[in-house]
Amino acid sequence: VMITGDHENTAFAIAKQLGIADKAADCLTGVKLSAMSDADLQKRISDICSLTTIFVFIWGCTLTPLRNLLQKI
C-alpha cells in the first residue's frame, strides 16, 4: 500500500518503479475514495492483501477514514 499526496500519474510512475504496481487502475484518488460507500471502501481495503493499491491525492478529509480502516486490518 502506498499513500501519497502526489498526482495519480506521478504516484503510479513511482509505484511502477518500485515494483508495487503494474497498472494505473491500482491507483485510487481522493476523489474516487470520497465517492465510495463505506462498504465499498472496506471491500477495497480488504482486497489489499491480494492487490496492490496506491491511494493518491489523499488529504485530511480522506486520510482519517482511510487510516482508521487500514488500522482494522
Side-chain angles (χ1 to χ4, degrees):
V1 175
M2 181 172 126
I3 302 174
T4 179
D6 291 327
H7 185 274
E8 184 175 3
N9 294 340
T10 304
F12 173 65
I14 292 167
K16 189 172 181 179
Q17 285 182 339
L18 293 173
I20 62 173
D22 55 13
K23 58 189 181 302
D26 292 332
C27 295
L28 181 62
T29 65
V31 172
K32 293 175 189 173
L33 179 66
S34 294
M36 294 176 81
S37 69
D38 288 344
D40 288 340
L41 180 57
Q42 183 65 49
K43 179 175 180 355
R44 179 71 183 255
I45 289 173
S46 295
D47 290 344
I48 286 174
C49 294
S50 62
L51 299 172
T52 301
T53 302
I54 302 100
F55 296 95
V56 299
F57 273 167
I58 303 299
W59 304 104
C61 62
T62 52
L63 180 59
T64 300
L66 177 60
R67 183 186 62 228
N68 292 341
L69 287 170
L70 286 171
Q71 288 175 339
K72 292 179 183 179
I73 62 171

